[in-house]
Amino acid sequence: MKKILLIEDDKNLIEMYETAFELEGFEVEKALNGDEGLKVLAKKEKPDIILLDILMPGMNGFSFLKEVKKKKTLKSIPVLLLTNLGESTIDMNRELAFVLGIEGYLIKAKNNPDQVIARIKNILKNK
Amino acid sequence: MGMFKINLNKKSKANFNNDFEEFYKITQVINSSLDLKTTLKTVSESIANITNASYCYIFLKSGEDEVSCAYRYGKKLIFREQYNISTSYHTKKIFKTGKPIVTSNFENYRHYGEEVIDFFKKENICCTLYLPIIKEKKVLGYMWILRKAECSTDIDIKRIMLFVNQMATAISNSQLHHKIDINRSRWKSIFKDSSSGMIITDPSFKILFINKAFETIIDKKSRLLIGINIEEMFVNEKDRLFLEKGLRQNKKTKVFNKELLLEAKNSVIWTSMRVSKSINSADEERYIFSFEDITSKQEFEKDKNEFVSIISHELRNPLTSIKGYLNLIEKKEIGSMNKKQQAFFKKIEDSAERMTELVENLLDVNKINTGKMRLNLSPVSIGKIFKKVSSDLSRALSQKNLKIQLDKDERVYVYGDDIRLYQVFYNLLDNAIKYSFPDGKIKVGYKNEDEHALFYIKDNGVGISPLEQKKLFTKFSRIENIFSVSSGGTGLGLYIVKNLVLAHNGAIWIESKHGKGATFNVKLPLAKQLSLVK
């Protein structure tokens, strides 16, 4: 069973994505911000993919990404940005994000869970 | 007037040379000076000289029923500066007859006050002359000459009147000049005291004049600015280009409006600029610039844009949640809905979709307004993008039983942002579907032409009137749709489309005839390197 680490601070969205992913047969681990995400990653069993929000209280998505990509054991895990932040902000940070090594990004409001799942499957297939 | 020859001292010897000299002097002054004071001074002095007068006054008409002393030769007297024409004996008479008056034997004249007569006695004034100043049969005023008894020159009124007549011409000229001068200074003060910042430049945009208000706007002294080129104050390169391309080379337009940033002392100022071309009285070409400080308006705009941006982003999270759960409810694992629930579900889904569209449109408009619309450019295939657009809109097409008639050239690659171009073609096809008659055809075509790709989409609707065409690409414009009460759009779609096309250095225009549908044409720059085609 493939495992997703969902780093997201909106509780409604967490439950929604968790339900949708589980229906598709994924195992879901949750974290409310970057710090919690790093704690989850410190465990022995690593996720197959990380879905990462950007704006969160505590450690934000970009800081989390930098930390992950520094660590040999973690940097190969694909990261998909899942955010409602303005595209212009993402555009500005796009280069940084791709340098840091993301697989892509999705605007949450523009993609329903099915579309997010399709993208996840695509990334895992090419891995 | 020749009959007024008075030999007051019986020593009649005309000083012809003296007369000639004075006459020459007067003519010189009259020809060279338009200043009334100078003219009056010279003429009074000359006449006083040749008549051997002790005092000489010039009274000019200063009101409907009023004369005022315009020049005084000799020391200041107790006499009044102004007289009413209708109530002063000699003044009234001279204005009525236009003929000179000679007065003497003052004790007998009740028209002078005691003070005046006392003065005449003290100064030994033996006679006075009132000489009318007439121009084109109009009495402009008169000269009053006071002579002492001991002076020994004869005076010939006819002779003196030659001088006075010269003066009349000079007075009427300088009065006219004075009027023009007042007008000019009125205009000057409009420029000087205008609350708009104003600048006048020559045709090369070199600054000639600056008014106070402009100094205030940019907090710099005019002496630092006069002589420099106005473009040195423009912060943005494109505004400098506007001077040359938009202004100088544009022969048709007379007045220009533009909002631009000016460099002030320690900051930059948003201004609304108005420029007009003008030719001055010396036949020289001038540009007149006026500026209003709109910094606070711009700040309000900025606040508004930030507000829209924050609100829209804040709306995205709850919308994600609504749409996400709707997506979940549809799944068979969650359970099934009855028919009524399914119908209601559809309505919620449609509303959520419309709201998403509104939020995304507002965010796009916001990006356009704040100049943050960024494109990720790469060579993209129009055919590929349009294929996805038509497949995503296939349901809407089949609902109205519309067919797409495609006239295509497979190898049309443009240099563009695939996501944004998808948005452009999606909006255009979506509109074409909305405004087409059912069971018809929508014609779509794209091809290469010189350096550009041409794309068109033609609906079979009622067409768009010229008036509506003008409004079409503006914000919140909507065209009445005969097929639905509410078109359900935000009125932002075509505004965004136009700005996206412009951001691609492209162009968009409409052709439409009443009753014959509308064609939207899009021109986009071709991709040069095809190795990276998406």
Side-chain angles (χ1 to χ4, degrees):
Chain A
M1 197 192 282
K2 297 280 183 191
K3 193 169 169 183
I4 297 172
L5 169 57
L6 175 65
I7 307 179
E8 165 67 63
D9 63 314
D10 185 316
K11 296 206 166 94
N12 269 339
L13 293 187
I14 295 173
E15 194 189 338
M16 188 258 297
Y17 284 127
E18 190 183 12
T19 313
F21 297 158
E22 282 175 355
L23 282 174
E24 285 294 319
F26 290 102
E27 188 187 329
V28 183
E29 281 219 64
K30 295 159 289 183
L32 287 169
N33 58 31
D35 301 304
E36 282 193 21
L38 287 176
K39 274 180 206 157
V40 174
L41 289 177
K43 288 193 266 181
K44 203 177 166 200
E45 207 185 320
K46 310 291 182 212
D48 295 282
I49 187 168
I50 300 168
L51 298 193
L52 180 62
D53 192 11
I54 295 175
L55 278 186
M56 291 173 292
M59 185 188 276
N60 72 27
F62 282 119
S63 306
F64 169 84
L65 194 57
K66 274 185 214 163
E67 290 302 313
V68 167
K69 294 300 173 185
K70 268 189 220 162
K71 296 191 169 73
K72 264 188 185 167
T73 49
L74 304 177
K75 69 176 182 189
S76 61
I77 305 170
V79 178
L80 175 64
L81 289 186
L82 191 57
T83 178
N84 266 335
L85 204 65
E87 286 91 331
S88 55
T89 319
I90 293 175
D91 283 345
M92 270 187 272
N93 292 302
R94 182 196 285 255
E95 230 164 286
L96 171 72
F98 279 97
V99 167
L100 288 174
I102 59 162
E103 290 297 324
Y105 72 89
L106 291 177
I107 301 294
K108 287 185 274 195
K110 290 186 181 176
N111 294 277
N112 64 27
D114 283 348
Q115 288 163 309
V116 177
I117 288 163
R119 186 66 172 267
I120 293 170
K121 285 183 173 166
N122 199 287
I123 292 169
L124 292 178
K125 194 174 76 189
N126 295 329
K127 199 180 149 184
Chain B
M1 280 180 241
M3 55 191 146
F4 286 87
K5 180 166 177 164
I6 312 164
N7 293 330
L8 289 160
N9 283 325
K10 316 262 181 208
K11 255 193 193 174
S12 175
K13 197 181 179 194
N15 190 341
F16 178 75
N17 281 337
N18 191 19
D19 270 16
F20 184 76
E21 225 168 78
E22 293 298 339
F23 197 78
Y24 180 72
K25 212 160 96 192
I26 290 175
T27 321
Q28 283 275 300
V29 170
I30 289 169
N31 286 340
S32 64
S33 171
L34 281 166
D35 175 51
L36 190 59
K37 267 255 140 61
T38 315
T39 309
L40 296 181
K41 181 172 181 277
T42 315
V43 177
S44 305
E45 277 168 6
S46 290
I47 291 180
N49 186 15
I50 58 168
T51 58
N52 227 330
S54 306
Y55 302 98
C56 179
Y57 301 90
I58 295 171
F59 284 90
L60 293 178
K61 201 171 180 224
S62 54
E64 199 49 50
D65 181 32
E66 185 189 79
V67 286
S68 302
C69 184
Y71 190 76
R72 177 193 312 121
Y73 171 77
K75 64 183 171 189
K76 187 172 164 69
L77 297 181
I78 45 170
F79 307 144
R80 286 156 56 188
E81 293 282 318
Q82 279 172 351
Y83 292 96
N84 282 348
I85 296 171
S86 57
T87 55
S88 313
Y89 181 79
H90 294 107
T91 307
K92 186 180 173 183
K93 200 167 161 190
I94 208 159
F95 269 90
K96 204 171 171 186
T97 63
K99 301 230 163 100
I101 304 167
V102 182
T103 65
S104 55
N105 291 332
F106 305 109
E107 290 86 345
N108 303 333
Y109 282 98
R110 57 191 160 83
H111 310 297
Y112 295 109
E114 247 171 63
E115 273 177 323
V116 177
I117 291 165
D118 280 351
F119 172 80
F120 285 170
K121 278 179 183 165
K122 207 177 111 207
E123 292 281 314
N124 203 16
I125 302 290
C126 70
C127 75
T128 77
L129 299 171
Y130 292 87
L131 305 173
I133 301 165
I134 300 173
K135 177 75 185 170
E136 281 154 10
K137 290 179 183 164
K138 234 174 86 187
V139 181
L140 304 175
Y142 58 88
M143 190 173 214
W144 190 30
I145 295 168
L146 279 65
R147 277 167 57 97
K148 290 190 180 187
E150 63 264 29
C151 66
S152 54
T153 331
D154 301 338
I155 52 167
D156 178 344
I157 290 183
K158 195 179 169 189
R159 213 177 85 207
I160 298 168
M161 280 311 288
L162 277 176
F163 289 73
V164 178
N165 287 340
Q166 277 293 309
M167 184 167 61
T169 309
I171 288 170
S172 113
N173 280 349
S174 66
Q175 278 179 342
L176 194 68
H177 179 72
H178 188 61
K179 254 186 208 162
I180 294 170
D181 222 36
I182 284 176
N183 266 335
R184 185 189 290 159
S185 68
R186 244 178 230 152
W187 284 111
K188 217 171 164 180
S189 76
I190 287 174
F191 176 78
K192 219 178 94 219
D193 304 330
S194 160
S195 61
S196 301
M198 291 180 85
I199 289 182
I200 298 177
T201 76
D202 70 3
S204 67
F205 304 113
K206 201 174 88 184
I207 297 175
L208 303 174
F209 303 103
I210 282 180
N211 74 348
K212 197 101 203 128
F214 188 80
E215 284 186 331
T216 312
I217 288 176
I218 66 162
D219 195 21
K220 278 184 188 170
K221 287 278 164 231
S222 64
R223 65 186 154 78
L224 298 172
L225 302 170
I226 284 176
I228 70 164
N229 195 304
I230 197 169
E231 67 168 36
E232 285 178 41
M233 287 191 282
F234 292 4
V235 174
N236 293 322
E237 177 67 25
K238 67 173 175 21
D239 297 329
R240 273 175 243 148
L241 285 175
F242 161 77
L243 284 180
E244 183 57 35
K245 293 254 154 65
L247 200 56
R248 204 208 311 268
Q249 292 176 12
N250 188 329
K251 302 281 179 217
K252 282 184 213 148
T253 324
K254 290 270 186 288
V255 181
F256 300 84
N257 291 304
K258 198 166 174 50
E259 288 186 357
L260 50 75
L261 275 174
L262 286 186
E263 206 174 309
K265 196 175 170 191
N266 295 315
S267 59
V268 288
I269 309 276
W270 265 111
T271 58
S272 162
M273 178 179 86
R274 237 176 123 79
V275 194
S276 50
K277 291 182 192 179
S278 144
I279 305 285
N280 70 10
S281 53
D283 213 23
E284 295 162 321
E285 203 183 319
R286 293 288 180 256
Y287 288 103
I288 302 168
F289 292 79
S290 80
F291 295 90
E292 303 292 340
D293 186 346
I294 53 163
T295 308
S296 56
K297 188 182 137 204
Q298 288 290 332
E299 272 163 7
F300 171 76
E301 273 298 303
K302 207 178 138 217
D303 286 349
K304 189 193 83 186
N305 286 333
E306 269 168 22
F307 175 77
V308 170
S309 167
I310 290 167
I311 291 295
S312 308
H313 284 128
E314 286 305 309
L315 284 171
R316 267 181 168 179
N317 264 359
L319 266 173
T320 310
S321 187
I322 293 169
K323 284 171 63 183
Y325 282 104
L326 286 172
N327 185 246
L328 284 178
I329 291 173
E330 270 188 312
K331 292 189 189 298
K332 57 180 189 304
E333 293 91 338
I334 304 293
S336 57
M337 290 180 278
N338 64 33
K339 277 262 158 57
K340 206 157 206 173
Q341 283 169 327
Q342 275 175 28
F344 291 168
F345 175 89
K346 195 86 207 73
K347 286 190 198 299
I348 299 173
E349 205 175 35
D350 282 349
S351 298
E353 212 42 66
R354 273 171 63 178
M355 194 146 157
T356 307
E357 191 191 318
L358 174 66
V359 169
E360 296 307 319
N361 279 350
L362 281 176
L363 282 168
D364 281 345
V365 169
N366 199 259
K367 257 182 247 171
I368 291 163
N369 287 348
T370 54
K372 283 181 183 157
M373 179 59 80
R374 283 191 182 75
L375 301 178
N376 296 303
L377 297 172
S378 63
V380 290
S381 152
I382 286 195
K384 208 171 147 189
I385 294 174
F386 189 73
K387 204 172 158 188
K388 183 161 167 39
V389 167
S390 54
S391 112
D392 289 351
L393 281 167
S394 59
R395 210 172 80 180
L397 281 163
S398 59
Q399 269 170 4
K400 279 180 100 168
N401 193 25
L402 291 165
K403 294 263 171 336
I404 290 178
Q405 185 184 324
L406 204 53
D407 169 21
K408 63 179 179 173
D409 174 349
E410 279 302 344
R411 291 192 56 83
V412 181
Y413 295 99
V414 296
Y415 196 57
D417 181 320
D418 55 348
I419 295 171
R420 293 306 186 179
L421 289 180
Y422 171 87
Q423 200 177 345
V424 168
F425 299 140
Y426 186 97
N427 265 290
L428 292 179
L429 183 59
D430 190 43
N431 272 341
I433 295 169
K434 277 181 187 156
Y435 289 92
S436 278
F437 289 103
D439 312 314
K441 269 180 194 157
I442 293 172
K443 288 182 183 168
V444 179
Y446 41 90
K447 62 178 178 186
N448 292 324
E449 203 175 84
D450 301 327
E451 298 288 289
H452 291 92
L454 283 181
F455 173 93
Y456 73 83
I457 182 159
K458 185 180 185 312
D459 63 45
N460 73 353
V462 288
I464 306 167
S465 74
L467 189 72
E468 283 177 322
Q469 287 181 29
K470 272 187 193 162
K471 294 190 293 185
L472 203 58
F473 291 111
T474 59
K475 260 182 266 183
F476 303 110
S477 81
R478 262 192 237 171
I479 287 182
E480 199 188 330
N481 190 350
I482 55 166
F483 302 114
S484 60
V485 182
S486 149
S487 63
T490 56
L492 293 169
L494 284 176
Y495 174 78
I496 295 168
V497 163
K498 183 192 171 182
N499 280 284
L500 287 177
V501 172
L502 291 181
H504 277 86
N505 286 324
I508 183 163
W509 68 98
I510 318 164
E511 287 161 44
S512 182
K513 269 188 193 145
H514 188 73
K516 293 199 169 168
T519 309
F520 284 79
N521 300 284
V522 179
K523 195 164 124 179
L524 291 164
L526 282 179
K528 297 218 168 73
Q529 285 179 310
L530 293 179
S531 54
L532 297 161
V533 174
K534 274 194 183 175

